[in-house]
Amino acid sequence: MSKGKLDALLDGLGIKLVPVYRRRAAAQSHARGTMHEIRNQYGDGHLVFVLRCIKQTNNNRDELWSETIGAISDILIQRQDWALDRPSEVLEAFDTIPLGILRGKAVARRPWPVRATLRTYIYDRLESILDEPEQRRAG
């Protein structure tokens, strides 16, 4: 996979990758390695949906951190029923989740791995939004 293909894919989403020695601006990310990893393992469609969960939500547009991208990818692989059967509900749920605040909490808990801690925080929020109504109906 060439660098050009990933950059072209991200251009369509309005995201630009920048080197880690440069300060990020809006809609920019240093997470080239994480994005390559996700794309290689799960494909373009999965990566695009993960990035849409960040970029196309109200307050999370610039939360393009590698740990955040990785945590969301992990969740959507674990809960493919959400991603495949209810993508619009997933995007709506992300509108209510403050990714920057949750990432800050995860960073504060170092030396625990930020991605794993953040994954737990995000999953908890998504589960309460996407699964609770089903549990109430069943009970």
Side-chain angles (χ1 to χ4, degrees), residues 1 5-6 9 38-40 42-50:
M1 169 178 46
K5 289 182 182 179
L6 178 60
L9 179 70
I38 292 168
R39 187 170 181 240
N40 286 340
Y42 303 111
D44 288 353
H46 176 74
L47 177 60
V48 167
F49 189 63
V50 167

Side-chain angles (χ1 to χ4, degrees), residues 29-31 34 64-71 103 115:
S29 179
H30 296 137
T34 300
L64 295 165
W65 300 94
S66 60
E67 300 95 346
T68 305
I69 294 165
R103 183 178 180 277
R115 179 173 172 168

Side-chain angles (χ1 to χ4, degrees), residues 87-104:
S88 61
E89 291 177 53
V90 171
L91 290 173
E92 287 175 23
F94 271 101
D95 277 334
T96 68
I97 298 172
L99 294 175
I101 292 170
L102 295 180
R103 183 178 180 277

